[in-house]
């Protein structure tokens, strides 16, 4: 009769293989989670950058249409206008309210503009595509002479 030690000789090999396979699966799963977390962080940062690029586009358009230092009604920027800000493509559209409305006292014209700025990076449909859009309405009193009262 063979000894007990001889009969239990190959028992540890399947246990060792099971442990190696289990540990390899856990390492693979943790690497996948780490990669997904990094991709999420990168997309968050790119989303914030896209928002800032869209905001810069709105500010540029506001400067163009409101024309600081003048009382004249400026025409809308050519619509659509494309800018590149920090590798983001910024698409600007502008529309002007026509006819020009008057204030409550019916004494002053009010220029009203609608500006939409869309900042994007990456191909449409791609996993890494980031896009942010800001829409604003701008208005100002248009004085034909020196301002004598507030625009209501």
């Amino acid at each position: 009769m063979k000894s007990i030690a001889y009969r239990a000789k190959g028992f540890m090999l399947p246990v060792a293989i099971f442990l190696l396979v289990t540990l390899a699966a856990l390492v693979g799963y943790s690497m996948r989670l780490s990669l997904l977390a990094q991709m999420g962080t990168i997309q968050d940062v790119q989303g914030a950058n896209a928002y800032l690029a869209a905001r810069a586009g709105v500010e540029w358009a506001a400067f163009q249409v409101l024309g600081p230092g003048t009382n004249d009604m400026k025409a809308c920027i050519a619509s659509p206008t494309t800018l590149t800000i920090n590798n983001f493509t910024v698409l600007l559209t502008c529309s002007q309210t026509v006819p020009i409305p008057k204030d409550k006292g019916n004494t002053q014209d009010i220029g009203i503009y609608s500006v939409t700025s869309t900042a994007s990076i990456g191909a449409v449909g791609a996993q890494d595509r980031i896009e942010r859009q800001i829409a604003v309405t701008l208005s100002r009193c248009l004085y034909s002479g020196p301002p004598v009262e507030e625009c209501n």
Side-chain angles (χ1 to χ4, degrees):
M1 179 173 206
K2 295 185 180 181
S3 69
I4 294 176
Y6 181 75
R7 281 188 282 163
K9 194 172 187 177
F11 174 72
M12 289 306 288
L13 183 62
V15 172
I17 291 173
F18 173 76
L19 286 175
L20 283 175
V21 170
T22 304
L23 287 175
L26 286 174
V27 167
Y29 180 71
S30 65
M31 293 297 287
R32 173 84 174 145
L33 281 179
S34 173
L35 177 67
L36 290 175
Q38 278 185 329
M39 286 177 57
T41 301
I42 290 168
Q43 286 180 337
D44 286 344
V45 170
Q46 287 290 77
N49 289 339
Y51 171 77
L52 292 174
R55 185 172 170 178
V58 165
E59 290 175 4
W60 179 83
F63 182 81
Q64 300 301 313
V65 298
L66 295 179
T70 68
N71 291 331
D72 298 332
M73 182 75 162
K74 298 285 186 177
C76 261
I77 56 175
S79 190
T81 297
T82 303
L83 305 172
T84 300
I85 301 173
N86 289 341
N87 296 326
F88 285 89
T89 301
V90 180
L91 181 70
L92 295 167
T93 58
C94 178
S95 63
Q96 183 177 350
T97 302
V98 176
I100 298 171
K102 297 272 190 188
D103 68 347
K104 289 180 186 175
N106 205 24
T107 58
Q108 296 165 340
D109 292 335
I110 302 175
I112 300 176
Y113 304 89
S114 295
V115 176
T116 303
S117 176
T118 306
S120 61
I121 193 169
V124 176
Q127 185 178 10
D128 62 345
R129 171 132 173 116
I130 305 290
E131 181 176 298
R132 296 294 183 268
Q133 185 177 62
I134 298 175
V136 296
T137 301
L138 307 168
S139 64
R140 71 179 289 190
C141 287
L142 304 172
Y143 303 107
S144 54
V148 292
E149 63 182 61
E150 283 293 317
C151 197
N152 305 350

